[in-house]
Amino acid sequence: MKYLKAFVSLVATICLVYFLNKPLGPAPALGPFLSPFTGFGQNGDRVVEKNGETILKLNGLKDEVTIRFDDAGVAHIFAKNDFDLFYAQGFITAKDRLWQMDLQIRAASGRLSEVLGKATLEMDQQSRRLGMGYGAEANIKVAMEDPKTREALLGYTAGVNAYIHQLAPKDYPIEFKLLGYKPEAWKPINTMYMLEQMTLTLAGRSNELNMSNVLKKYGEKVVNDLFPDYPMFEESPVIPAGTDWDFEPLTIPKKPEIIRSGDSLAHFKSTPNSLLQREPKQEGIGSNNWAVSAEKSITGYPILANDPHLELTLPSIWYQVQLHSPSMNVYGVSLPGIPSVIIGFNQHVAWGVTNTDADVFDLYKIKFKDQSRMHYWHNNQWKPTKKRIESIMVKGQAQPYQEEVIYTHHGPVTETDKSSGKYPELAVKWIGHEAGNSFMTFYELNKAKNYDDYRKALTFYVGPAQNFVFADNSKNIALTVNGKLPLKYKEQGKFVLDGTNAADDWQSWIPAAQNPYVKNPKRGFVSSANQSSTDPSYPYFINWVFAPTERGVRINERLKAMTRANADSLRMLQNDNFSVLARNILPKLLETLKSTTLTPAQKAAAITLANWNYQNTPESVATSIFEEWMPLLNAKIWNDEFGEGLEYPTRDRTLYMILNEPNKKWFDNITTPEKETLADLTAASFKAAIDTLTVRHGPMSQSWQWAQVKGTEIRHLSRSLKPFNAPALKVGGGRSIVNAITKRNGPSWRMVVELGPVPRAYGIYPGGQSGNPGSPYYLNLLKKWENGELNELVYLLEPSQKHPRMISSVKLQKP
């Protein structure tokens, strides 16, 4: 009997070992992951001992590099030449963020399915159809032709690969083990994919298909009324209103004389997994930046602030670093995968960026000669197309998925509707396809010494268009709406364009020197918050719609009133929770609500709103009521007339209508026999908001506090590994607030820099330097970020400088 038990145990053990080492469909084998020798147990991390020093021998270096680490886990890199500097940056970034770098490159290049299987095939298809690879290939060619950027890219690549090559399987980041694959060698083109991904995030969406449908349904008169080209209620543009344009503008292209009724799209239906079905860019994806003059500053030098609003993830989108070589000494945040500092400062200057929302993504309706799609009609002739075969490997499948993407001179063709027999399709013209060397802008800013250097650096930049704020020790402040901006006729790209008509092409570019900018304005500050770039006097068309105005208005109000500013003044402004939207609209709505019969619970909610100070604090109950009410009111107004496939009028236009046009026909719900009024919709949406909050959180109580209702969460990049997410957060802010924290988006990096002989800077992001969930540097910065605090950034002038926060060092040496 005992032999039988032994035999059964042996068979069970063999079976268990077999199955643990066998992939189960797309899932990896569990054996290697659970192994105490190679599995997740090897991924623990610890704080480096104080005063500890490690020497690493690495191939490819030209000289010795010293990397010092502070108590926040930030690397301060000291190299004797730029190649080694970027080599070390690549090495240390890979050490902390290798899986993040791998995932983001796969997402940008359409290669997620290689490791995640069929679940991500549509995402990969969209990346390929949009031409992300096409754009990256065009940009790497330009970048590698310049000796400076070539050196940086090759150095960074060598450093990343040096780290990968010395990894044993037991040392792989835990996500590689969970997904059952290993890191692959880094390539210079990967940096271009990173830039493509950022361009996609900030300038990769289109509303002209929905706008064309509105035009077709309602006509030009309604479009002009409900979709104006400049806000009707209030605006405080990036470049102050009334700024003189000291240049002779180019001749604006002539608008085609055809009537744009939208009829040409009558038979067009986008496919279920359409690139154009991507959700509109959420409010909360944007940014704030500003700089105050020396006259407004208590220090006697300018102070600059920046907080880019992006998706909040673990690990963070950003990575802190100091880079020191004979040609630069710069501190700030980089994007893992891109050498240099993207937002930061050096001994002479500071800079930051916000998104411009320029219209650099247009759709063209293409007419093909026949089903072969080998020729398309343009400028009264048939022109040949180009074909790009996209091959996508899918985990668990022996053969790759292959797709043929057609390119016209506009760009890749993304949509097809062959049901009419005329083969109408849409092509994308996108700034992400434009060859250039945007990386050079950041490379030169890292070394900049003055305003002229800043302006020269911006000339290399292609996109996505950004508002570059600047300050220097010569006491200049400036802001430039910067990027390669197409020279368009007014409203070109507001609707789907005619791909057969050469007059609808992008004709040329706005000269870089004529991009909107302001230097040392009389008001003593510059600022941007993704609002309109200029007032209507600017001679060129940038876009017809920008981010809502409330953040910009609030920032400018506070900066105008500010005197004797210091870093803490600007930190507090970054955390400002005041709702300009509530100030503008709530008194009118509450007055309208007075004519409505309310239940005791509804009355209590209305009283709470009436007593509100318009502050979106974490504890505020009134904020939750208001923020739940506004989207429901908007839906009540527009859902019946502007349903699926139609663009909604902007918040500014809706606000103006509520305050100044209470008898507009749009308040009537056309799906009911009754004629509704503004008062009816106000009451119905208010009651619905109270019902929704009650169902989700019980009767009005402390459970209605804004932090709980909003439920801000910071998730691991995998989206599915919940144990790697951040704990619940208690934060205020909101979509139209300077402190723009929504459920999943917000200030991904807060930075304030006091210029001077030796700059003093402060910054933080939610998370930490390490992408390893087992590291003490994974979440070490989160609590301070949650509280709205900043860390003082350790800026060293030389490698041997003593500082109490420096705790360890690593020396990289040639073998």
Side-chain angles (χ1 to χ4, degrees), residues 195 318 333-335 338-344 351-353 442 445-446:
L195 292 170
W318 304 101
V333 285
S334 62
L335 288 166
I338 302 178
S340 78
V341 165
I342 303 298
I343 297 172
W351 74 93
V353 296
F442 302 106
L445 283 173
N446 284 200

Side-chain angles (χ1 to χ4, degrees), residues 198 201-202 281-289 306-311 318 343 353-357 466-467 528-531 547 551 735 738 740 745-749:
M198 188 56 66
T201 299
L202 298 175
K281 189 177 74 174
Q282 301 177 35
E283 195 170 350
I285 298 290
S287 301
N288 305 319
N289 65 20
N306 190 196
D307 55 297
H309 307 154
L310 296 165
E311 184 178 5
W318 304 101
I343 297 172
V353 296
T354 68
N355 196 36
T356 297
D357 275 340
Q466 298 285 288
N467 304 309
S528 71
N530 317 115
Q531 74 272 41
R551 281 187 293 118
R735 60 197 173 96
V738 175
N745 303 320
S748 56
W749 164 246

Side-chain angles (χ1 to χ4, degrees), residues 8-84:
V8 171
S9 297
L10 178 62
V11 171
T13 300
I14 292 172
C15 290
L16 182 61
V17 170
Y18 173 78
F19 282 109
L20 284 178
N21 285 277
K22 181 179 178 61
L24 304 176
L30 290 177
F33 174 69
L34 296 175
S35 166
F37 304 106
T38 63
F40 71 94
Q42 296 288 330
N43 287 97
D45 200 357
R46 61 187 179 87
V47 178
V48 179
E49 294 181 5
K50 193 167 185 177
N51 299 321
E53 180 174 284
T54 303
I55 296 177
L56 296 177
K57 303 288 187 180
L58 298 174
N59 292 318
L61 284 168
K62 296 181 178 180
D63 213 323
E64 183 177 83
V65 178
T66 298
I67 307 176
R68 298 179 65 189
F69 293 90
D70 63 31
D71 55 5
V74 176
H76 304 254
I77 303 172
F78 297 86
K80 298 173 184 177
N81 60 78
D82 285 352
F83 179 90
D84 286 350

Side-chain angles (χ1 to χ4, degrees), residues 646-695:
L646 297 177
E647 188 75 4
Y648 274 38
T650 63
R651 185 162 77 217
D652 164 78
R653 184 64 186 91
T654 305
L655 181 63
Y656 184 89
M657 192 171 77
I658 291 171
L659 294 176
N660 300 293
E661 301 170 325
N663 297 318
K664 275 280 194 180
K665 70 174 185 176
W666 305 106
F667 291 119
D668 177 40
N669 187 342
I670 61 174
T671 65
T672 67
E674 299 81 18
K675 184 176 181 179
E676 286 80 10
T677 65
L678 171 60
D680 296 327
L681 302 190
T682 299
S685 57
F686 176 74
K687 293 175 181 179
I690 303 308
D691 289 345
T692 299
L693 288 167
T694 302
V695 168

Side-chain angles (χ1 to χ4, degrees), residues 29 61 67 91 135 156 161 171 178 207 227 245 328 334 353 376 418 447 472 556 578 608-609 648 663 670 714 767:
L61 284 168
I67 307 176
F91 182 89
Y156 192 87
N161 288 332
D171 300 317
L178 282 167
N207 59 6
F227 301 89
W245 311 112
M328 72 181 84
S334 62
V353 296
Y376 68 105
K418 299 180 181 177
K447 300 183 177 187
D472 69 15
N556 290 347
F578 185 81
T608 299
L609 279 175
Y648 274 38
N663 297 318
I670 61 174
I714 304 180

Side-chain angles (χ1 to χ4, degrees), residues 580-774:
V580 172
L581 178 61
R583 179 182 69 187
N584 287 339
I585 197 173
L586 188 56
K588 170 74 172 181
L589 296 180
L590 290 177
E591 183 65 29
T592 304
L593 203 60
K594 287 181 179 179
S595 61
T596 302
T597 300
L598 301 175
T599 67
Q602 292 164 354
K603 287 181 180 177
I607 292 170
T608 299
L609 279 175
N611 293 328
W612 183 32
N613 61 1
Y614 306 144
Q615 294 284 345
N616 280 27
T617 59
E619 302 80 14
S620 173
V621 171
T623 301
S624 298
I625 300 170
F626 180 76
E627 294 287 349
E628 187 68 42
W629 185 9
M630 288 305 96
L632 293 176
L633 175 59
N634 194 65
K636 287 285 185 183
I637 296 171
W638 301 118
N639 271 3
D640 54 324
E641 291 100 349
F642 293 84
E644 184 178 356
L646 297 177
E647 188 75 4
Y648 274 38
T650 63
R651 185 162 77 217
D652 164 78
R653 184 64 186 91
T654 305
L655 181 63
Y656 184 89
M657 192 171 77
I658 291 171
L659 294 176
N660 300 293
E661 301 170 325
N663 297 318
K664 275 280 194 180
K665 70 174 185 176
W666 305 106
F667 291 119
D668 177 40
N669 187 342
I670 61 174
T671 65
T672 67
E674 299 81 18
K675 184 176 181 179
E676 286 80 10
T677 65
L678 171 60
D680 296 327
L681 302 190
T682 299
S685 57
F686 176 74
K687 293 175 181 179
I690 303 308
D691 289 345
T692 299
L693 288 167
T694 302
V695 168
R696 293 177 180 173
H697 306 283
M700 188 170 69
S701 66
Q702 295 305 301
S703 65
W704 285 25
Q705 289 187 355
W706 178 226
Q708 295 185 49
V709 170
K710 178 157 62 82
T712 297
E713 59 181 4
I714 304 180
R715 300 182 296 178
H716 183 260
L717 276 171
S718 67
R719 306 288 178 90
S720 59
L721 297 173
K722 292 184 178 180
F724 296 167
N725 293 354
L729 299 174
K730 185 177 181 181
V731 290
R735 60 197 173 96
S736 64
I737 310 300
V738 175
N739 183 25
I741 304 175
T742 63
K743 184 175 179 63
R744 295 198 177 97
N745 303 320
S748 56
W749 164 246
R750 293 189 182 114
M751 180 186 77
V752 179
V753 183
E754 292 182 337
L755 274 297
V758 177
R760 295 191 66 181
Y762 308 83
I764 204 160
Y765 47 60
Q769 286 289 95
S770 178
N772 178 6

Side-chain angles (χ1 to χ4, degrees), residues 202-408:
L202 298 175
R205 285 168 174 80
S206 162
N207 59 6
E208 50 255 53
L209 184 56
N210 287 350
M211 284 300 301
S212 293
N213 290 335
V214 171
L215 182 63
K216 176 181 181 296
K217 183 172 183 178
Y218 291 113
E220 190 172 357
K221 185 177 180 180
V222 168
V223 167
N224 291 340
D225 178 32
L226 294 185
F227 301 89
D229 294 337
Y230 193 75
M232 295 178 65
F233 182 68
E234 66 176 341
E235 181 60 291
S236 186
V238 172
I239 307 304
T243 297
D244 292 328
W245 311 112
D246 58 349
F247 55 81
E248 186 67 31
L250 302 181
T251 301
I252 306 300
K254 187 177 180 180
K255 182 177 181 177
E257 294 180 359
I258 61 171
I259 298 175
R260 297 183 180 280
S261 66
D263 289 340
S264 61
L265 293 171
H267 302 291
F268 189 88
K269 295 181 181 179
S270 57
T271 54
N273 63 340
S274 161
L275 171 72
L276 306 179
Q277 293 300 311
R278 297 178 70 215
E279 293 181 3
K281 189 177 74 174
Q282 301 177 35
E283 195 170 350
I285 298 290
S287 301
N288 305 319
N289 65 20
W290 57 82
V292 298
S293 67
E295 290 74 22
K296 273 187 169 283
S297 164
I298 197 172
T299 67
Y301 284 88
I303 308 176
L304 180 144
N306 190 196
D307 55 297
H309 307 154
L310 296 165
E311 184 178 5
L312 302 177
T313 62
L314 289 173
S316 168
I317 287 172
W318 304 101
Y319 183 74
Q320 291 185 63
V321 70
Q322 181 178 1
L323 303 174
H324 184 290
S325 76
S327 68
M328 72 181 84
N329 185 12
V330 60
Y331 189 115
V333 285
S334 62
L335 288 166
I338 302 178
S340 78
V341 165
I342 303 298
I343 297 172
F345 64 95
N346 60 35
Q347 287 176 271
H348 312 284
V349 309
W351 74 93
V353 296
T354 68
N355 196 36
T356 297
D357 275 340
D359 185 12
V360 289
F361 187 109
D362 285 341
L363 300 179
Y364 287 83
K365 189 170 183 185
I366 304 300
K367 178 183 177 182
F368 286 108
K369 187 174 184 178
D370 53 40
Q371 194 169 358
S372 70
R373 302 193 300 172
M374 295 179 64
H375 295 87
Y376 68 105
W377 187 252
H378 178 260
N379 200 21
N380 297 316
Q381 58 182 305
W382 292 109
K383 294 184 176 181
T385 59
K386 295 180 180 179
K387 296 181 180 180
R388 183 181 172 102
I389 304 300
E390 298 288 357
S391 182
I392 304 172
M393 296 300 300
V394 181
K395 185 176 182 179
Q397 295 185 2
Q399 298 298 320
Y401 173 88
Q402 287 195 331
E403 183 172 333
E404 181 182 84
V405 179
I406 300 295
Y407 280 74
T408 69

